[in-house]
Amino acid sequence: MKINEKEVFRLLISSYNPTVLGDVLIMVTGQATNAEQNVATNGDVTRLTKKDNNELVGVNLFNASQYVHDLKGNGQILLTESQIAEVNAAVKKAGFDFEVPFDNQPKFVIGHVETLVEHPDSDHLHIAQVDLGTEKLQIVCGAPNVGAGQKVVVAKIGAMMPDGKIIWPGKLRGVESYGMICSAHELGLPNAPQRHGILVLDAASQTGAPFDFAGDYSANY
């Protein structure tokens, strides 16, 4: 089963970094390059939409702490339902007629690699079918240590990696991929090795559970 496209774009990726960007709350709701976007600003709200279909892909809220309570962070943040209500009140006050969706689904989860086959057009890529408990995703992976039966960390569509990269659906050499199987280094874990290879978790790890970044995984490196 592949991820539903409507679900892909009913997500919210929020980031707040006042030290670097000032008091600006950045919210991404879809994928589009700068050239594919229309930009409109009313007051403290900037709306970004796709040029071809007017789909909402992003919202920037300036002077954000004046509108949203308890706004803290230094990178990706998860907005509460009440904070989203405050964001939408600011959007309405600015004269826009859209709403920012509430999204509290974990984006880094434990997956079980059910099957793994070679990519038909690559000598190092593999195509994995990964069970996440409530859904199964096809993910193309190039790690040399990936194998069927493993418990792994999956960055789902809408995950923001520690380096700021956002995971979107894509194709690798013509094969669709709906997430990323992560290494300890990509997850920003302490003392993660620099070598190429995914983080393989203990077999007892619960499929579908949110990944705990605060855990000690050094024994799995």
Side-chain angles (χ1 to χ4, degrees):
M1 180 178 67
K2 295 179 180 178
I3 192 167
N4 184 294
E5 188 170 343
K6 292 183 178 179
E7 291 181 5
V8 169
F9 294 110
R10 285 201 58 81
L11 53 79
L12 178 65
I13 308 161
S14 305
S15 62
Y16 184 66
N17 191 336
T19 303
V20 176
L21 298 176
D23 191 13
V24 184
L25 176 61
I26 298 173
M27 293 162 282
V28 178
T29 61
Q31 184 181 22
T33 66
N34 289 339
E36 296 170 332
Q37 296 175 0
N38 284 321
V39 180
T41 299
N42 291 342
D44 284 332
V45 178
T46 294
R47 179 192 65 192
L48 299 94
T49 56
K50 283 187 177 181
K51 290 181 178 179
D52 60 350
N53 61 9
N54 209 37
E55 176 189 325
L56 182 71
V57 294
V59 181
N60 295 337
L61 178 60
F62 297 88
N63 300 309
S65 61
Q66 297 181 21
Y67 300 96
V68 183
H69 77 282
D70 199 26
L71 194 57
K72 301 175 183 177
N74 187 30
Q76 185 175 21
I77 61 173
L78 297 178
L79 296 173
T80 65
E81 195 166 7
S82 61
Q83 287 175 322
I84 288 295
E86 291 171 333
V87 167
N88 284 322
V91 168
K92 184 177 181 179
K93 181 179 179 181
F96 288 110
D97 61 358
F98 66 87
E99 288 192 350
V100 175
F102 173 58
D103 179 6
N104 65 345
Q105 297 299 309
K107 298 299 186 291
F108 294 88
V109 298
I110 297 173
H112 173 238
V113 181
E114 290 191 329
T115 63
L116 191 75
V117 298
E118 293 183 359
H119 191 293
D121 190 32
S122 172
D123 61 0
H124 72 283
L125 295 175
H126 293 83
I127 304 169
Q129 303 298 328
V130 186
D131 180 16
L132 299 183
T134 58
E135 59 184 333
K136 295 181 181 180
L137 300 182
Q138 176 171 287
I139 300 176
V140 178
C141 180
N145 64 328
V146 65
Q150 292 173 337
K151 294 292 182 67
V152 297
V153 182
V154 173
K156 297 176 61 177
I157 302 303
M160 179 182 285
M161 304 302 295
D163 64 1
K165 175 184 177 182
I166 296 175
I167 303 300
W168 296 111
K171 290 184 178 180
L172 280 79
R173 294 202 175 185
V175 176
E176 294 177 334
S177 185
Y178 294 89
M180 184 171 75
I181 301 175
C182 303
S183 70
H185 177 69
E186 290 166 333
L187 293 166
L189 299 182
N191 303 312
Q194 298 296 314
R195 65 180 180 272
H196 190 48
I198 60 168
L199 176 66
V200 180
L201 301 174
D202 297 338
S205 300
Q206 182 181 350
T207 299
F211 178 67
D212 181 8
F213 279 85
D216 182 3
Y217 304 97
S218 56
N220 300 86
Y221 297 168

